[in-house]
Amino acid sequence: MPSFVDQVTLHLAAGRGGNGVASVKREKFKPLGGPDGGNGGQGGSIILEVDTSVTTLVDYHHSPKRKADNGGQGAGDHKNGGNGKDLVLPVPDGTLVRDAEGNVLADLVGQGTTLVIAAGGRGGLGNAALASSKRKAPGFALLGEPGDELVVRLELKVVADIGLVGFPSAGKSSLIAAMSRARPKIADYPFTTLIPNLGVVTAGETTFVVADVPGLIEGAAEGRGLGHDFLRHIERCAALVHVVDTASIEPGRNPVDDLDVIEGELARYGGLEDRPRLVALNKVDVPDGQDIADMVVEELRGRGLRVFEVSAASGAGLRELTFAMAEIVVASREDAPEAEPQRIVLRPKAVDSGEDFEVVATDEGWRVRGVKPERWVRQTDFSNEEAVGFLADRLNRMGVELRLAKMGAQEGDAVLIGSDTNSVVFDFKPSIEAGAEMLGRRGEDERLREARPARDRRRDIAEGMETKAEEEARADVARRLDEERRKNKKGPDKSSGSSGVGPMAYEIGTKDDPDWDGEE
């Protein structure tokens, strides 16, 4: 099983928000005390946090799927649901975060830096929060929103001050072991080192980190050897040290050509041209190694390079090399701004039109896109007619219906709201007037109202009583209203509930008596 992993793919799912609750307060002598449904809790978010004690991504290699807690559901008596617990994932310093398409989302550097990579869903509002002067007792609540679900790729770029580069078996791991307390695996065959090694080096009052890049050979930038996988680890280094083997027994190799090959690979990889270079001619403790070093040292210095003749085995020249490294590190730290922990939150991009929504004609129908309308659809309980009416009111107030009409939508056309893979489909009905002010008593939507003539007649009589003469009774008002309807419509008013048989009160034996036979 691998112990060092520097690339992983994570499948993340933030917690869903809790649903709101529709509830009415009920107590003795007060059966309808008003709405008291609580709100749902927020879903838990997934947060990446830099932890310098973590040096590998191996934990996520074994468990690539992570999910945060859901929010709790609300309850009656104004009780809100609990918020879901955030899931904090520690990552090494220098972790690069990319989306599924390879776009860079964030570069996490510095202890304590956090990234909210997947935001938890919002909790739904209860009917107490939805109540207003026009909707005093809503019979519905909003659903909680699902949390973000996405696939991200984490890439580790080791944060080191000095990077050691060179051919396999040049002695990079031996140098780290000689200069620090690191104990990497060392052998006399190529590709002994399979992972980047880190060592903490102290030179005077300066402490810095040294890392080697394993498996760097000709063609590494195109994928040969192991260097293609590990070149990213020197991108953050303040300086590079070429470790050149002066005692190589391979035919056709010499220190100058080795350095030119490695420089060519670094140039093809790109982005490292501005880093200072040092050259360490290693293995000068070997007789032939010292002779070869003496032959090439002046040529290398003629190129403007600082050259050090060192031996990892005997320790010769290591003090001068470490202090030269420390000099570069100090200058780099003085020029660099002080890193402070940051909290990064990813925000969805607005639609291209710059408005709250956009309408696009597609083969499937009219598609409405936008953060608000899509969120409102996710919050709606489509099994509740009043909740659907509330959604229609919100869309109408935003101007969705007017935009559809201007673009030529006809009654019965399909209107899709939501993602391309999970849309809610409506039939366009512009003739239905939407408006929260039309909602009546709890659970009653005036757009679904049927004719109730008896109730309308009682209301007309009640209004007429306010303007009646002093000597008029209720029956007189009813008779007068019926007479006015007959004159205006020349017949009984069927819609108002008037039967056309006269007033509610009459004198027996008169013409107002429906049983009168014509005789006094």
Side-chain angles (χ1 to χ4, degrees):
M1 300 299 289
S3 59
F4 179 84
V5 176
D6 59 354
Q7 294 187 58
V8 294
T9 299
L10 290 182
H11 301 262
L12 306 176
R16 184 183 185 91
N19 297 335
V21 167
S23 172
V24 176
K25 187 174 183 61
R26 302 177 188 277
E27 57 187 28
K28 190 174 182 180
F29 306 119
K30 199 174 184 181
L32 296 176
D36 68 345
N39 303 330
Q42 298 288 106
S45 299
I46 298 180
I47 302 173
L48 303 179
E49 181 176 9
V50 174
D51 186 348
T52 52
S53 65
V54 178
T55 59
T56 178
L57 300 171
V58 65
D59 289 344
Y60 309 120
H61 173 75
H62 298 308
S63 302
K65 295 182 179 181
R66 301 298 175 105
K67 187 180 186 307
D69 293 340
N70 296 331
Q73 181 170 301
D77 200 19
H78 301 282
K79 294 180 180 179
N80 296 332
N83 295 333
K85 185 178 180 180
D86 292 338
L87 178 62
V88 180
L89 304 178
V91 296
D93 193 5
T95 300
L96 193 68
V97 186
R98 299 179 183 271
D99 61 15
E101 288 73 32
N103 302 313
V104 176
L105 300 178
D107 191 359
L108 304 180
V109 179
Q111 171 69 28
T113 297
T114 59
L115 167 66
V116 181
I117 187 66
R122 299 186 185 186
L125 297 179
N127 65 339
L130 295 171
S132 64
S133 60
K134 299 181 183 296
R135 183 185 287 106
K136 297 185 183 297
F140 67 98
L142 299 184
L143 303 179
E145 296 183 56
D148 294 338
E149 295 188 18
L150 70 161
V151 177
V152 297
R153 185 173 183 82
L154 304 185
E155 296 181 5
L156 174 59
K157 295 183 179 181
V158 171
V159 178
D161 299 294
I162 301 294
L164 304 183
V165 295
F167 272 77
S169 297
K172 301 185 294 296
S173 299
S174 299
L175 276 180
I176 288 181
M179 293 188 294
S180 69
R181 298 177 63 89
R183 293 295 177 263
K185 180 181 179 181
I186 300 173
D188 58 355
Y189 56 87
F191 300 111
T192 304
T193 305
L194 300 178
I195 63 174
N197 293 310
L198 297 178
V200 179
V201 181
T202 301
E205 298 181 353
T206 305
T207 301
F208 54 94
V209 178
V210 178
D212 70 341
V213 179
L216 200 57
I217 62 175
E218 186 175 6
E222 285 75 37
R224 293 187 60 194
L226 302 177
H228 176 74
D229 294 329
F230 298 116
L231 274 170
R232 75 173 71 89
H233 294 297
I234 60 174
E235 290 184 11
R236 305 182 192 278
C237 296
L240 303 179
V241 176
H242 284 278
V243 181
V244 181
D245 186 358
T246 61
S248 174
I249 61 175
E250 294 184 27
R253 282 185 54 186
N254 64 78
V256 176
D257 291 344
D258 286 356
L259 187 145
D260 291 339
V261 169
I262 299 301
E263 277 292 341
E265 295 305 316
L266 296 177
R268 277 189 282 275
Y269 184 76
L272 302 171
E273 296 79 7
D274 60 336
R275 311 300 163 84
R277 262 69 162 175
L278 301 177
V279 178
L281 298 176
N282 193 24
K283 303 181 183 180
V284 295
D285 56 308
V286 179
D288 291 343
Q290 182 63 62
D291 294 339
I292 294 176
D294 294 338
M295 294 172 56
V296 301
V297 63
E298 294 302 326
E299 180 180 351
L300 296 177
R301 286 173 178 167
R303 297 184 181 185
L305 298 171
R306 297 178 65 183
V307 183
F308 299 86
E309 300 177 24
V310 301
S311 170
S314 66
L318 293 185
R319 177 177 174 82
E320 292 79 4
L321 177 61
T322 56
F323 273 88
M325 293 178 183
E327 180 183 341
I328 297 175
V329 170
V330 170
S332 174
R333 291 175 180 175
E334 290 177 350
D335 296 338
E338 184 177 355
E340 296 182 358
Q342 301 179 8
R343 179 177 173 84
I344 308 169
V345 181
L346 301 181
R347 302 292 185 188
K349 295 181 179 179
V351 294
D352 297 337
S353 62
E355 300 176 337
D356 290 333
F357 70 96
E358 65 176 357
V359 179
V360 180
T362 65
D363 295 338
E364 299 173 321
W366 302 93
R367 182 171 293 279
V368 180
R369 294 192 178 98
V371 175
K372 286 186 178 181
E374 292 180 16
R375 184 174 75 239
W376 293 345
V377 166
R378 293 194 297 267
Q379 293 175 332
T380 301
D381 178 8
F382 287 95
S383 64
N384 187 305
E385 292 184 354
E386 192 177 351
V388 176
F390 179 67
L391 171 63
D393 293 335
R394 301 175 89 176
L395 296 174
N396 187 45
R397 285 195 299 269
M398 180 181 279
V400 173
E401 183 175 312
L402 181 60
R403 178 76 62 81
L404 287 168
K406 288 183 177 180
M407 294 182 66
Q410 301 295 323
E411 183 172 355
D413 287 355
V415 179
L416 300 90
I417 304 179
S419 62
D420 294 343
T421 57
N422 187 21
S423 300
V424 176
V425 183
F426 302 90
D427 289 333
F428 184 50
K429 295 183 179 180
S431 60
I432 296 181
E433 181 183 3
E437 67 279 357
M438 298 180 63
L439 293 175
R441 295 173 297 180
R442 179 176 182 268
E444 180 181 55
D445 191 330
E446 293 293 323
R447 287 168 291 186
L448 307 176
R449 171 189 171 191
E450 298 179 356
R452 299 177 62 182
R455 183 195 61 184
D456 294 341
R457 186 167 187 272
R458 288 195 300 271
R459 288 179 177 177
D460 293 341
I461 294 174
E463 293 176 359
M465 290 291 292
E466 297 177 359
T467 59
K468 72 180 182 66
E470 185 175 353
E471 66 278 3
E472 280 188 314
R474 180 180 179 86
D476 299 323
V477 174
R479 185 185 300 109
R480 173 164 49 83
L481 292 176
D482 289 341
E483 290 294 339
E484 291 176 358
R485 291 192 185 94
R486 292 191 187 96
K487 291 179 181 179
N488 294 334
K489 298 186 177 182
K490 297 181 181 181
D493 185 3
K494 302 295 184 182
S495 64
S496 66
S498 174
S499 62
V501 298
M504 296 174 62
Y506 53 87
E507 184 179 349
I508 297 176
T510 65
K511 62 180 180 180
D512 294 330
D513 186 351
D515 297 325
W516 182 54
D517 57 3
E519 297 181 0
E520 294 292 341

